Structures are given as C-alpha cells and as structure tokens.
Amino acid sequence: MEIKLLAALAVGSLLFGMSGAASATVLTFEDLPGDGSAISAGYGGFDWKTSSNVGRVGSTSAQRYPGSGYEVGTIGKISAYSAPNNYPTDITLAGPGTFTFNGAQFTSAWENQTLTFEGYKDGKLLYTSASYSITTTSPLWISLNWSGIDDLRIYGTAERAMIISGV
C-alpha cells in the first residue's frame, strides 16, 4: 500500500501509498468532526496513537485556536494533530502489508519545535530522518519517500501539538 503523509498544503490532506494498490490514498481529514476528538482506529486504513495513554492523535478545525499554529497550519477546515509531542506519534497500518510515506506538511501549535521520523517494518527500524524545524507561523513540507514500512513514528521536541494538514 503506498501512502503519503502530507500536511498543510492547498488541499489539506495526508497522502499514503499502500502496497498492492495502484494509486495513493489522500487523507484530507475533512470528514472528521474537528472537535478535538481522537482519530478512530482504522481511519484511512491506519491506527493513530501516541506511545502514552495521556497523548492523543485527534482532529481540530482551523478556527478553534485563532492566532495559533492550528490556524496557520490548516489547509481546508480540518487538520490532524498529535499532543503532547514529548511522546512519539505512531501511524501504523491497520491491516497486513506495507505503505510508502512520501511526505507531509507540518506546523507547530504553540511553540517552535524539531521533528524527527522513523520508519519500521515488523518492528525492525528501516529508516531514520534528519531533524526538521517547524514553526507556529507557517507549514513546512517534509518529504521522505520511504517505502515498505508498516509503522511511521514522529518525534517532536515540544510538549505541545504538531499539526498535520496536507495535500
């Protein structure tokens, strides 16, 4: 399955490619409530979680926190977020197979931070990224083009949310 994770671009989506699929899947998050509730397991073919039971991967509207990274980082009306960021965010394939993470745009909610990424297959680390600095003032496109993974982990240095919104 080929999947691209994209955040904060003109369409506001997350794009993944799944093995065995002829085309990529774009997740816009626009069909989510945007009320801060957790993204349910299986959404878009993935399980969305943090490594802490106090953290959550949820959806929010661009207007929910005016003047914050939520507002400037959301393309469309709804974005995904992960909080708190001092725990990794895990985006895992909900079923068997692998996916490709092509890229995403990211924005920080309340304070600037640094993101790093890891890609796993069957618990084995296949990829690690460089560090990327994200701000509260504009989204940053991060392109990784990793294939053959079943688990994407995103690490942030701030205790506040990162916003995922993409194309």
Side-chain angles (χ1 to χ4, degrees), residues 60-147:
T60 192
S61 69
Q63 295 78 31
R64 191 165 178 173
Y65 300 103
S68 72
Y70 287 104
E71 182 178 32
V72 300
T74 301
I75 300 302
K77 296 178 184 171
I78 307 295
S79 61
Y81 70 89
S82 178
N85 260 9
N86 49 342
Y87 298 101
T89 300
D90 291 327
I91 303 171
T92 58
L93 202 53
T98 61
F99 64 90
T100 298
F101 172 65
N102 292 312
Q105 286 202 3
F106 294 87
T107 308
S108 190
W110 306 111
E111 58 190 78
N112 296 344
Q113 65 178 296
T114 301
L115 298 181
T116 56
F117 299 81
E118 293 178 345
Y120 291 82
K121 167 93 170 53
D122 296 329
K124 180 182 176 189
L125 180 64
L126 299 182
Y127 302 99
T128 58
S129 75
S131 295
Y132 298 90
S133 296
I134 62 171
T135 70
T136 62
T137 57
S138 65
L140 174 68
W141 175 260
I142 299 173
S143 179
L144 296 177
N145 297 310
W146 293 347
S147 62

